[in-house]
Amino acid sequence: MDAMTTATTSLPAPALAPAPVWARRAAHAIALCAVPSGLWRVAMAAGVYVGYSDQVLRDVYGIPGWGIAYVVGLSVLTELAALLPLLLVGDRWRPLRPGTLTRLAWTASAVLVLVALWQLVVVFTAESQTYLAGGTARIVWGLAYAPLFAVPALMTAVTWSYAKRQRAVGRWTPPAA
């Protein structure tokens, strides 16, 4: 009996079910949603006219100068953050503390919703309207940033899928209310 008890306690934890296809597609879509705005910022840093006058680029964004590193760095960090949901749908990577990852993903989802709401406020403020030229430049800017508004919903869906799969194997239970 003692050998049997030892054999059962050394069994690996049950495997997490594979992520559904829709969750995998949503995680990949998050990474793709960040690309247009990143390319727009890189174009701005490279000196391509994106709707800001040279004076605005110099005075407000510090371009040329330190602003180039800031704008390109922001683009890189945004894309890296957009790749993180792929961890929630990957089959090859197993977190040591899946419950912590689940709580972190839910927190990220909530923060993304708040940031999206804040960005809507910023878009419609007088200050943001005065710097950017109208017409084609404003349309291109809008098209570059519009996909980012899909990220909170996509992240919430991917997180829900991950949490549901974690609960199915009994590795995570929601915190007590």
Side-chain angles (χ1 to χ4, degrees):
M1 181 90 170
D2 203 19
M4 184 177 232
T5 305
T6 305
T8 58
T9 58
S10 63
L11 290 175
L16 187 63
V21 173
W22 66 264
R24 289 180 187 277
R25 288 183 179 156
H28 284 85
I30 292 170
L32 292 176
C33 285
V35 171
S37 61
L39 292 176
W40 185 88
R41 283 190 298 269
V42 169
M44 182 172 81
V48 174
Y49 178 73
V50 293
Y52 292 120
S53 68
D54 289 341
Q55 182 180 356
V56 168
L57 287 175
R58 194 172 38 258
D59 297 344
V60 177
Y61 295 102
I63 296 173
W66 68 269
I68 293 173
Y70 170 74
V71 169
V72 171
L74 182 61
S75 296
V76 170
L77 286 175
T78 301
E79 192 59 42
L80 287 174
L83 292 173
L84 290 177
L86 294 174
L87 294 175
L88 300 175
V89 297
D91 294 331
R92 297 183 185 143
W93 181 77
R94 297 282 181 241
L96 295 175
R97 303 191 72 189
T100 301
L101 181 61
T102 303
R103 286 186 287 280
L104 180 66
W106 280 119
T107 302
S109 294
V111 168
L112 286 168
V113 167
L114 293 175
V115 167
L117 292 173
W118 177 249
Q119 288 304 310
L120 284 174
V121 170
V122 169
V123 163
F124 294 109
T125 62
E127 184 175 321
S128 69
Q129 298 292 325
T130 59
Y131 289 143
L132 190 62
T136 305
R138 191 173 298 273
I139 291 170
V140 170
W141 172 79
L143 291 174
Y145 278 87
L148 291 178
F149 286 103
V151 171
L154 292 169
M155 181 65 185
T156 301
V158 170
T159 301
W160 176 79
S161 171
Y162 179 76
K164 181 180 173 187
R165 290 181 296 123
Q166 284 297 331
R167 280 192 304 270
V169 296
R171 291 187 188 172
W172 181 78
T173 56

